Amino acid sequence: MNTNLRDGINFLLKSKPSRIFNAAKVLSSYYYSKLSGKPVQWGMPIALSFEPTTSCNLRCPECPSGLRAFTRPTGMLDEHFFKKIIDEVKDSLWYLIFYFQGEPYLNPKFLELVKYASQRGIYTATSTNAHYLTDENAKKTIESGLDRLIISIDGTTQEVYEQYRIGGKLEKVIEGTKNIVKWKKQLGSKTPHIIFQFLVVKPNEHQIAEVHQLAKELGVDEVGLKTAQVYDFENGNDLIPTIDKFARYKKQSDGTYKIKNQLLNHCWKLWHSCVITWDGRVVPCCFDKDAMYNMGSLQEQSFKTLWQNSNYQNFRASVLRSRDEIEMCKNCTEGTKVWG
């Protein structure tokens, strides 16, 4: 069976009546809000992103973790807090991403958290730089029930790879990938679905065909080509690729750059998902890396209360009214697709 098809079937098998009913409520409330211009929220999140940690071993140039540039506190997600939230949302939650900032495997409880969510029938995914996929961790990863493993590999040679993944070793990524593939076979597991994520930037754009070939040789299920978010893009940036379809930004006649897509006054993310930081803050989406748009704390209130509170409703209303006035949204390429 095609691996992408198998992954899709696996995702659908996580469905149950309460999740399907909740998804219908979320979708209908989104379209009602979009058409009426008045924010309503009839369901709970379909998807969540949990931040296992803000710590990272690399120093990627466009990442707050890599730059050590957070203004918010740094730390590790607490196991008991995580379980409390999962127990509250497990009947409606379909998809759980263990990633926001940082390297998930640096949290010593990470794979136990994955296992807890997997045992409750939630589709689980994470993104890693693969430097901690030792033989032991690879085996534990398979045993945790993780459904999707995204491995960042932004070059097929060390010279190119380290231009973005500063401090990283390509050989560690390849070794970690081999460990995962090996234990997946030895344990007879169909999961996780392994994805090589290739962030297309100017230094590596010539290696796109090579990363596909490398993935095939290693037994990786899929290659995902991702466009790069650049913070200071207006006057150009050495990371912006020359291949137009992989650039989020377009050069204008005066030599400055602007985001390609039109910033529309609606955003599906605000209805179907959110991000929970390691210390329990809830922010609208993954573009709010420093948690500047804090909707509230789950250390102080239930998820259901927070999801419906005035902060969240007012933020949804501001997006429906004038999204281009929200600083976080100005460098966003989302909002034009329904799933994502």
Side-chain angles (χ1 to χ4, degrees):
M1 181 187 294
N2 178 279
T3 55
N4 288 318
L5 176 60
R6 186 168 60 204
D7 181 51
I9 292 172
N10 179 37
F11 177 78
L12 291 175
L13 288 175
K14 306 293 183 180
S15 67
K16 59 182 184 177
S18 61
R19 289 175 184 162
I20 295 171
F21 182 55
N22 178 69
K25 289 195 293 183
V26 171
L27 190 62
S28 58
S29 63
Y30 168 68
Y31 278 110
Y32 176 85
S33 301
K34 182 178 172 181
L35 292 171
S36 69
K38 299 176 181 179
V40 297
Q41 178 57 270
W42 295 320
M44 293 283 279
I46 300 169
L48 285 180
S49 293
F50 253 104
E51 180 178 60
T53 181
T54 48
S55 300
C56 189
N57 55 308
L58 303 185
R59 290 185 173 271
C60 305
E62 294 295 321
C63 174
S65 289
L67 294 171
R68 308 324 191 236
F70 286 118
T71 60
R72 62 184 173 99
T74 59
M76 300 277 180
L77 176 64
D78 178 73
E79 178 184 9
H80 301 292
F81 168 71
F82 171 80
K83 289 179 177 179
K84 178 176 76 75
I85 301 303
I86 292 300
D87 289 345
E88 184 181 350
V89 301
K90 65 181 185 298
D91 291 332
S92 55
L93 186 64
W94 207 321
Y95 187 28
L96 178 57
I97 305 168
F98 287 92
Y99 182 72
F100 180 32
Q101 297 298 296
E103 167 52 47
Y105 280 85
L106 285 174
N107 186 320
K109 295 285 187 177
F110 170 56
L111 292 175
E112 294 177 34
L113 305 183
V114 174
K115 190 171 185 177
Y116 190 83
S118 295
Q119 288 174 340
R120 279 142 190 82
I122 301 168
Y123 185 97
T124 55
T126 196
S127 179
T128 177
N129 61 45
H131 282 60
Y132 298 96
L133 290 179
T134 61
D135 195 64
E136 180 183 5
N137 277 343
K139 184 174 184 286
K140 289 181 178 179
T141 297
I142 308 304
E143 293 172 336
S144 73
L146 183 71
D147 292 292
R148 173 174 289 213
L149 179 64
I150 300 169
I151 296 174
S152 295
I153 180 167
D154 303 325
T156 59
T157 60
Q158 177 62 26
E159 180 184 9
V160 170
Y161 174 79
E162 67 185 1
Q163 289 187 54
Y164 188 81
R165 299 287 165 182
I166 297 172
K169 300 293 183 184
L170 180 62
E171 62 183 297
K172 296 285 290 184
V173 180
I174 294 173
E175 178 188 354
T177 302
K178 288 179 178 178
N179 288 338
I180 286 287
V181 172
K182 181 189 79 171
W183 280 110
K184 190 174 171 182
K185 290 178 180 177
Q186 288 193 17
L187 296 175
S189 178
K190 295 179 180 179
T191 57
H193 182 73
I194 308 168
I195 300 174
F196 264 178
Q197 181 171 275
F198 192 82
L199 186 69
V200 182
V201 288
K202 188 175 181 180
N204 70 13
E205 62 185 2
H206 63 288
Q207 293 186 336
I208 292 174
E210 293 174 21
V211 78
H212 279 91
Q213 181 59 36
L214 180 61
K216 184 178 179 181
E217 292 172 0
L218 295 177
V220 170
D221 297 307
E222 182 183 345
V223 174
L225 302 176
K226 185 179 180 182
T227 60
Q229 177 188 2
V230 177
Y231 288 107
D232 297 319
F233 62 85
E234 289 87 354
N235 295 312
N237 188 296
D238 290 340
L239 292 174
I240 298 176
T242 62
I243 305 174
D244 185 62
K245 70 176 181 177
F246 295 123
R248 295 187 184 190
Y249 314 97
K250 182 178 182 180
K251 192 173 185 178
Q252 302 179 95
S253 57
D254 63 358
T256 62
Y257 287 76
K258 69 174 183 178
I259 293 177
K260 285 180 182 179
N261 73 305
Q262 185 180 359
L263 203 59
L264 304 176
N265 290 332
H266 57 85
C267 181
W268 168 235
K269 280 183 178 290
L270 291 185
W271 272 259
H272 91 279
S273 67
C274 67
V275 175
I276 303 172
T277 64
W278 71 270
D279 58 348
R281 306 181 195 197
V282 173
V283 297
C285 83
C286 59
F287 276 81
D288 189 9
K289 293 175 173 36
D290 215 9
M292 301 299 291
Y293 297 87
N294 184 8
M295 300 293 106
S297 172
L298 291 173
Q299 304 281 9
E300 301 169 358
Q301 56 191 306
S302 70
F303 196 100
K304 186 173 183 180
T305 300
L306 191 152
W307 188 239
Q308 299 283 357
N309 72 17
S310 58
N311 283 348
Y312 231 129
Q313 290 299 77
N314 290 338
F315 190 80
R316 292 182 182 113
S318 66
V319 167
L320 293 172
R321 183 176 59 251
S322 185
R323 188 163 162 239
D324 60 1
E325 293 182 5
I326 302 171
E327 190 63 33
M328 175 182 69
C329 298
K330 291 180 180 179
N331 199 6
C332 177
T333 55
E334 302 289 350
T336 57
K337 297 178 290 183
V338 171
W339 195 266

